[in-house]
Amino acid sequence: MKTEKIYSAGIDIGTSTTKMVVSSFLLKNVAGVTHVPRIEIIEKTVLHQSPIIKTPFINKEIIDMEKIEQFIFQQYQLAQIAPADISTGAIIITGESATKENASEVVHAIADTAGHFLVATAGPDLEGIIAAKGAGTVQQSKNTAKVIANIDIGGGTANIAVMQFGEVIGTCTLHVGGRLIEFQNGIVHSISPPVMKLMEKWSNPLKVGDSAEDARVTQLIQEMVATLAMTLSGQLTDEEHPLLLGHLPTWDKPVEAVVFSGGVAACIYENDCTKRQYDDIGERLAKSLLQHEQLQSFLWLKPEETARATVTGAGTQITEISGATIQVDADVLPLKNVPVFNCYMDTDKNKFDYTIKTAVERADALFSTQENRSPFALYFSQLPYLSFQDVHAISKAILQHLATRSSKEIPIIIVIQSDYAKIIGQTIQALNPTVHIICIDQIKVETGDYIDIGEVLPSGVVPVVVKTLAFHSK
């Protein structure tokens, strides 16, 4: 194999803005001629960046799907790429847009018509990670060994992802964003519910109709920034805090450096606020972040992308490539949102059957409901050297404990860290030719992760997106 080109797209439908990026990845076998093939992404090229448009809404609660679809297909034309050519990438709906009535419908309708997307939606934790990848913060944490927080601030939320050595060690999301208070003709036009909640204890809260220059607007911005500073400093412990969205911070190491991305970051680093057509607090929020004493105690690093961090991450940074020695039933692909259960195989070889049986029972209890058995992937980490007899024993155990529940809708899905996927997959198939099996390798996952597996590429590999939703301190 010389090289193979695949195409990826990222689409981010945010609270304030919608944008898209189309990229190409170059795949190459980097192993020597006599070695087992190892296909890797050797080059990523952004082919087309869309303009950043204002997210279209029919009314306050309904996203205008038709306008978004028109925008996407227009970008494909400009990129000179057909939607059918897209093998991987993500369409994600972020911030306050994710709470709209038709959010899920919009994402899935577009994912069905606009290319072979893997990640079709993302919760705030995953959004924060994708933005950190697109901003270059994951790479910076590898290069510097520092504990770095990437704070992606859009219209409705600040998604925080904390990294060390290129690994995510925690996340948190706050209701801090440029459009939480909006103005029209110099007066307050709208105030978002979390901000209303924040003012519940105030004797004289800000109201719609008050002046945009009212001192209480500044006070609210300062409270948002103070909450962010407390979060980064490990001082936010109130689970009921009105600006907290979801869980408290999950990292356990002190943050040393900060990187800001998102629309508000364009005001911080690029003085780009003059180009904003948004009548909201974004610019004032950026200034307040820059002036906050506690935030200034961190080392400030520059991102590679600001307003486009999430969409760049979604389009260029989330895809991995499986090993080339794999066994997959192409009819059941693509698969989306498959939960992973880690089956530790560093056991006595005589206990393979017991280990697999226990893992299947635990995974079933975790991921299936009484009404529905759900597909899950068993991840075999730390496999010892396997003889042919060992491969046979593992394959038999997999069939014994998974074949009865297997179907085209629920295939047997095995992920292996080392290069055993093809031999184990072929052995399972030889023992029972009727089962639907996906057996892939050279992918690193953990219990609590979810994976998307794309369609088989000409080189025989599959694109895989690992969605890390549980974090492990190193």
Side-chain angles (χ1 to χ4, degrees), residues 69-116:
E69 284 195 319
Q70 281 170 3
F71 168 73
I72 290 167
F73 285 104
Q74 188 186 16
Q75 301 316 308
Y76 276 133
Q77 282 181 326
L78 291 169
Q80 298 180 317
I81 297 285
D85 294 335
I86 299 295
S87 302
T88 184
I91 166 166
I92 52 180
I93 195 154
T94 56
E96 305 255 304
S97 288
T99 65
K100 302 306 177 195
E101 267 177 40
N102 64 336
S104 177
E105 187 193 337
V106 167
V107 167
H108 290 103
I110 293 167
D112 288 344
T113 59
H116 296 291

Side-chain angles (χ1 to χ4, degrees), residues 348-369:
D348 180 337
K349 293 184 178 186
N350 299 322
K351 294 183 180 167
F352 281 161
D353 185 82
Y354 174 77
T355 307
I356 290 168
K357 176 177 182 275
T358 310
V360 169
E361 284 168 358
R362 286 186 186 164
D364 245 340
L366 257 181
F367 305 125
S368 297
T369 60

Side-chain angles (χ1 to χ4, degrees), residues 71-319:
F71 168 73
I72 290 167
F73 285 104
Q74 188 186 16
Q75 301 316 308
Y76 276 133
Q77 282 181 326
L78 291 169
Q80 298 180 317
I81 297 285
D85 294 335
I86 299 295
S87 302
T88 184
I91 166 166
I92 52 180
I93 195 154
T94 56
E96 305 255 304
S97 288
T99 65
K100 302 306 177 195
E101 267 177 40
N102 64 336
S104 177
E105 187 193 337
V106 167
V107 167
H108 290 103
I110 293 167
D112 288 344
T113 59
H116 296 291
F117 290 99
L118 293 185
V119 182
T121 183
D125 284 345
L126 187 56
E127 286 162 32
I129 298 165
I130 290 171
K133 288 182 173 183
T137 306
V138 174
Q139 192 56 46
Q140 285 205 37
S141 76
K142 276 185 192 171
N143 298 347
T144 62
K146 290 189 183 303
V147 178
I148 309 177
N150 192 89
I151 306 106
D152 191 72
I153 309 181
T157 54
N159 295 39
I160 306 165
V162 178
M163 318 278 160
Q164 188 182 28
F165 306 123
E167 299 277 343
V168 180
I169 62 168
T171 58
C172 184
T173 301
L174 301 172
H175 291 289
V176 170
R179 286 191 82 176
L180 296 182
I181 304 169
E182 294 180 275
F183 312 120
Q184 214 170 52
N185 304 322
I187 62 162
V188 174
H189 175 63
S190 72
I191 304 169
S192 78
V195 176
M196 298 291 278
K197 204 174 166 197
L198 191 65
M199 294 189 291
E200 275 174 8
K201 292 177 183 160
W202 291 20
S203 56
N204 183 20
L206 183 76
K207 301 179 302 298
V208 168
D210 288 341
S211 165
E213 300 308 315
D214 193 300
R216 288 167 296 181
V217 174
T218 305
Q219 194 180 337
L220 283 165
I221 292 167
Q222 284 170 346
E223 281 215 28
M224 285 182 202
V225 175
T227 305
L228 176 62
M230 278 170 60
T231 306
L232 293 170
S233 306
Q235 297 164 309
L236 183 70
T237 53
D238 175 11
E239 287 184 26
E240 301 301 315
H241 195 289
L243 294 185
L244 183 67
L245 172 57
H247 58 77
L248 283 165
T250 53
W251 58 89
D252 57 4
K253 293 180 180 178
V255 170
E256 297 168 278
V258 292
V259 176
F260 287 90
S261 62
V264 170
C267 298
I268 293 174
Y269 300 100
E270 299 162 20
N271 298 320
D272 205 5
C273 293
T274 47
K275 295 180 194 165
R276 295 177 94 248
Q277 311 100 33
Y278 310 107
D279 216 352
D280 57 31
I281 58 168
E283 191 173 347
R284 287 153 76 172
L285 177 59
K287 278 189 181 151
S288 188
L289 289 163
L290 281 165
Q291 290 161 1
H292 194 273
E293 202 175 321
Q294 195 177 356
L295 286 178
Q296 288 305 322
S297 66
F298 296 105
L299 173 66
W300 283 50
L301 300 172
K302 270 196 156 186
E304 285 173 21
E305 291 282 351
T306 53
R308 297 179 194 270
T310 304
V311 76
T312 302
T316 67
Q317 298 296 325
I318 59 171
T319 299

Side-chain angles (χ1 to χ4, degrees), residues 296-417:
Q296 288 305 322
S297 66
F298 296 105
L299 173 66
W300 283 50
L301 300 172
K302 270 196 156 186
E304 285 173 21
E305 291 282 351
T306 53
R308 297 179 194 270
T310 304
V311 76
T312 302
T316 67
Q317 298 296 325
I318 59 171
T319 299
E320 295 181 33
I321 295 296
S322 75
T325 50
I326 60 174
Q327 181 76 11
V328 295
D329 184 340
D331 289 350
V332 301
L333 294 175
L335 286 167
K336 294 182 184 178
N337 289 323
V338 177
V340 174
F341 191 86
N342 198 336
C343 177
Y344 293 101
M345 296 294 281
D346 56 345
T347 54
D348 180 337
K349 293 184 178 186
N350 299 322
K351 294 183 180 167
F352 281 161
D353 185 82
Y354 174 77
T355 307
I356 290 168
K357 176 177 182 275
T358 310
V360 169
E361 284 168 358
R362 286 186 186 164
D364 245 340
L366 257 181
F367 305 125
S368 297
T369 60
Q370 281 178 325
E371 303 80 50
N372 287 312
R373 280 198 131 157
S374 177
F376 58 79
L378 274 191
Y379 176 54
F380 292 165
S381 61
Q382 297 160 323
L383 271 179
Y385 171 77
L386 300 178
S387 67
F388 179 73
Q389 282 79 7
D390 299 330
V391 168
H392 199 269
I394 286 175
S395 303
K396 216 170 146 189
I398 290 168
L399 276 171
Q400 190 173 339
H401 303 297
L402 284 170
T404 50
R405 61 196 298 293
S406 163
S407 66
K408 193 170 175 184
E409 286 67 48
I410 306 181
I412 294 174
I413 307 164
I414 306 292
V415 181
I416 303 173
Q417 196 173 352

